[in-house]
Structure formats: structure tokens, C-alpha cells
Amino acid sequence: MMMMMNSTQVSYFTFNAYFDLGLFKYLWFIIIMGFYVVIVGSNVLLIVVICMNRSLHEPMYLFLCSLFVNELFGSTGLFPFLLVQILSDIHTVSPPFCFLQIFCLYIYVNVQFYNLAIMSYDRYLAICHPLQYNIRMPFNKVTLLIAVTWLIPLLNIVVMLSLSASLQLCGNIIDRLFCNNYSIVKLACYDTTVNNIYGLMYTFIVLVGLAILIFYTYVRILRVCFSGSKQTRQKAVSTCTPHLASLLNFSFGCFFEIAQSRFDMSRAPIMLRIFLSLYFLTCQPLFNPLMYGLNLTKIRIICKSIVFGKM
């Protein structure tokens, strides 16, 4: 952390996206706190349900458990910080804490994408190769895939932050509600070609590769659905609908975030910019527990039993 302080030559960063809310800041504090409590409660409930019920110790539900853990991790990287900033009159943050927040949020985004890609592969095996599913997706392979889902993003973000932390900065104004790596890079005094090349290489090799995997698996799933029996189509719809909805919601959220980072949106209404900035960090952790909790029959039945005390 001290290396980050010395390399940036900046004692603090100032967030330029906040504005004076007056007494309304307490209302917004309660609303944001409500979001955070619901996110923590719903994700923890589903994690406990999956971990405590042996009938849910199947690959699909274990990947879901990883997804929910990641949403808790990402939400904790944002919401406590956001709550402090809402009540504060001076919207600043120290460089070490800023880099820590970038680490948490970027891990969340990367792990989410990896998780969704692996879940699409799992659905492809279950629907297109049902007789070979248990052979192709044993428990040790599930464990390995979940480990890869977390370790590769971890290594990527460590390298990315090392490159960003070594930059000499000529400013300390971040035009966002939270710390963002691209906002830090834009403050650099000198050439950032290495940072940009690394970001483009990672995006092309890994993220585009995962996008191709997701596209391929769903093309194959759709082919089976159109040519298969009614029972096969019903199974595909019941298990793939929540995943597709989650994938589309997350993709739109990432698109909004990238568009706001890369393009000048100073002319857009401030509330629209705030909504787009927070969309994928708030809606996804709320959206997924709702989608999977309501659409997957096993989870829905157990959750009802817990909530209404019938276990």
C-alpha cells in the first residue's frame, strides 16, 4: 500500500460526481442501506440453502453458490464506501483504499463473467449430453472450474493494479462515485501505452474467448431444443432462462459502465449518469437471487420451507 502512495504522488482522490443533497442525503442513505441489506440477506440465504442441503450439491447449484459469494464480495466493496460518502461533506479517499476498492470491484466483474461462462458450459453438457453429464462434470472438475473462476481474475487484477500503481499522476479528481481503474489511468502524467495494451490483450484473449464459449454453447442448446422432445425443451427453458436473463442483465450493465468510462457524458443528466454507473453493481446482486430463487424449483421449495418455518 505504501508503494501505491509513493508511486502516485497523490495524497488523496476527490470524487467529482457527488453533489449537495441537503437533508435528502439521509433518505438516500436509508435507500442504499436497504439495497445492501436485501442483497446480503438474499445472497446469504441462497448460499446457506445450497450448502446445507445435500440434494443441491450438484454442479449447477455449486456454480450458483460461487456466483452468490461473488455478489456478496462485490457489494461489500461498494456499498459501505457509498454509504460513508453519502453522509460525508468532503468526498475524498486515500490512494491505498481507492486501489483496494478497484481490486474488489474488478474481481467481482471478472469472476461474474467467468462464472456465467462456466454455467453456460454446464447447461450445454446437461442438455446436449445428458447421458454423459456425470462423467464429463465430476466433482473434482467442478472444484477445478470454480478455482479457475477466481484465480485467473485475481492474477489479472494484481497485474493491472501493479501497472496502475506505478503511474505518476498529475491530478486527483475522479469524475465518478467510486474508484475506477480507467479514471486513475487518465490522470497519468506520462504515456500509458503499457496499461492500454495489457487491458486490450486481456479483453481480447480472455473476455472475448468467454463470450465465444457462451455463444457456442447456446447455439448448441437451441439446436437441441428445436430438434428434441417437448420434455427436453421444457428442461432447457427452466434451467437456461434464469442464466440467460442474468447474462443479459450483466452484459447491459457492463456496457453502460464501459460507455460511461470511455465517452464524454458530461452533457447527460447527473441522475442518469449515477444510475448507469451503479446499475451493474446494484441490480445484478439483487436480480440473480430473485431469478434463481423463483425459477429453480428445488431452491424455491427449500426457501419457502425456511421462510415459513416448515422444515
Side-chain angles (χ1 to χ4, degrees), residues 93-281:
V93 66
S94 65
F97 193 89
C98 190
F99 281 104
L100 176 62
Q101 185 177 53
I102 292 172
F103 175 81
C104 293
L105 298 184
Y106 277 61
I107 287 286
Y108 160 73
V109 173
N110 280 261
V111 170
Q112 194 82 349
F113 197 30
Y114 275 79
N115 236 319
L116 291 171
I118 288 173
M119 288 170 68
S120 69
Y121 172 68
D122 174 69
R123 291 302 83 208
Y124 157 72
L125 291 181
I127 295 167
C128 299
H129 303 281
L131 299 180
Q132 302 173 2
Y133 179 72
N134 290 331
I135 298 173
R136 292 197 180 194
M137 192 60 78
F139 181 77
N140 59 346
K141 185 176 181 180
V142 173
T143 305
L144 177 63
L145 288 173
I146 291 174
V148 167
T149 297
W150 286 84
L151 288 176
I152 293 180
L154 177 64
L155 293 173
N156 163 58
I157 302 309
V158 167
V159 173
M160 183 195 74
L161 286 180
S162 298
L163 293 172
S164 299
S166 64
L167 294 172
Q168 292 288 328
L169 305 184
C170 290
N172 69 337
I173 305 297
I174 298 177
D175 193 25
R176 305 300 297 276
L177 295 171
F178 51 87
C179 291
N180 173 281
N181 186 66
Y182 187 66
S183 298
I184 302 292
V185 172
K186 287 196 296 185
L187 296 174
C189 304
Y190 306 109
D191 185 44
T192 58
T193 303
V194 175
N195 301 71
N196 294 329
I197 289 175
Y198 178 77
L200 289 172
M201 285 180 59
Y202 179 79
T203 301
F204 182 78
I205 294 173
V206 178
L207 300 185
V208 172
L210 292 176
I212 291 172
L213 171 65
I214 293 169
F215 179 77
Y216 171 79
T217 56
Y218 272 98
V219 167
R220 295 294 301 272
I221 288 170
L222 286 173
R223 285 180 62 184
V224 170
C225 288
F226 284 122
S227 61
S229 63
K230 183 179 179 181
Q231 184 180 3
T232 302
R233 286 195 296 271
Q234 287 177 340
K235 179 184 177 182
V237 169
S238 64
T239 60
C240 291
T241 298
H243 179 264
L244 265 178
S246 176
L247 181 63
L248 290 172
N249 183 60
F250 184 67
S251 298
F252 281 125
C254 289
F255 173 77
F256 293 151
E257 174 64 13
I258 293 170
Q260 188 167 211
S261 296
R262 301 287 172 169
F263 301 104
D264 182 16
M265 297 190 65
S266 57
R267 296 183 180 180
I270 184 67
M271 293 306 295
L272 175 64
R273 289 161 56 194
I274 291 173
F275 172 77
L276 295 180
S277 182
L278 296 176
Y279 180 84
F280 81 109
L281 290 168

Side-chain angles (χ1 to χ4, degrees), residues 65-91:
C65 192
S66 174
L67 193 77
F68 298 142
V69 169
N70 183 48
E71 287 168 354
L72 283 177
F73 180 77
S75 300
T76 303
L78 173 70
F79 280 92
F81 171 83
L82 206 59
L83 291 169
V84 170
Q85 291 294 327
I86 287 172
L87 293 182
S88 177
D89 294 325
I90 303 173
H91 306 292

